[in-house]
Amino acid sequence: MPHTDRTTTLKACNALVTGASQSISAAIAQRFAAAGANRCPHRPHHELRRQPLAGGLDEAVFRCARHGTVAVPLVADLTDEADRSQIVDLAAAQLGGPVDILVNNAAAGIHLPAAEMAPRHRRLMFEVNFHAPVDLAQAAIPGMRARGGG
């Protein structure tokens, strides 16, 4: 569906929203649902290791599904190149069609003074905040352009 056909509705569009288990990303996913888009909210794999914040992926999926569209969870590790290389295809398979909308909203922040930050912390932030958005965009854009979007 060309971009101009989506100006008033997102029906039949598939959206992948990274970081959608929390706050802004969850609200974005829910807004897409209200406009008729199928969504694949994503929860970064590294979040599974820490105490979940209020809401979470299950709640985000539940809130999106209330709008009558497809809402399926996707858990993947954005710090892992192999996981990242599969996310767009996994979302398309779970949503029953290609990804039309990609919102790269996951982020990693280690709040330590630079003198105390370990190399693994710097690598994690760079993987999530730089490599993941670029890799996901490169995976999604060719299909979007082939369908008249992107």
Side-chain angles (χ1 to χ4, degrees):
M1 176 184 308
H3 176 70
T4 55
D5 293 340
R6 291 190 216 125
T7 56
T8 58
T9 183
L10 296 177
K11 288 189 187 320
C13 290
N14 293 323
L16 169 59
V17 182
T18 66
S21 62
Q22 298 174 16
S23 59
I24 294 171
S25 296
I28 291 168
Q30 188 171 349
R31 181 63 189 105
F32 282 151
N38 298 317
R39 286 110 18 259
C40 200
H42 161 263
R43 178 179 186 167
H45 185 265
H46 69 274
E47 286 184 6
L48 298 176
R49 288 177 258 166
R50 63 177 195 228
Q51 182 71 9
L53 298 177
L57 187 59
D58 291 338
E59 185 174 331
V61 169
F62 173 76
R63 286 180 182 215
C64 290
R66 290 189 309 191
H67 295 282
T69 59
V70 175
V72 291
L74 176 63
V75 177
D77 185 352
L78 294 178
T79 67
D80 182 86
E81 186 175 359
D83 258 22
R84 286 194 309 262
S85 71
Q86 300 176 46
I87 293 173
V88 171
D89 289 339
L90 286 172
Q94 291 183 14
L95 293 171
V99 171
D100 300 296
I101 302 165
L102 171 64
V103 178
N104 277 310
N105 201 54
I110 309 295
H111 304 287
L112 294 171
E116 298 174 21
M117 191 174 294
R120 68 183 175 89
H121 293 140
R122 293 192 314 265
R123 283 191 287 279
L124 180 141
M125 288 192 306
F126 209 78
E127 291 293 332
V128 173
N129 299 337
F130 178 76
H131 289 299
V134 172
D135 288 348
L136 296 180
Q138 288 179 339
I141 288 171
M144 290 176 179
R145 286 186 177 158
R147 293 183 308 281

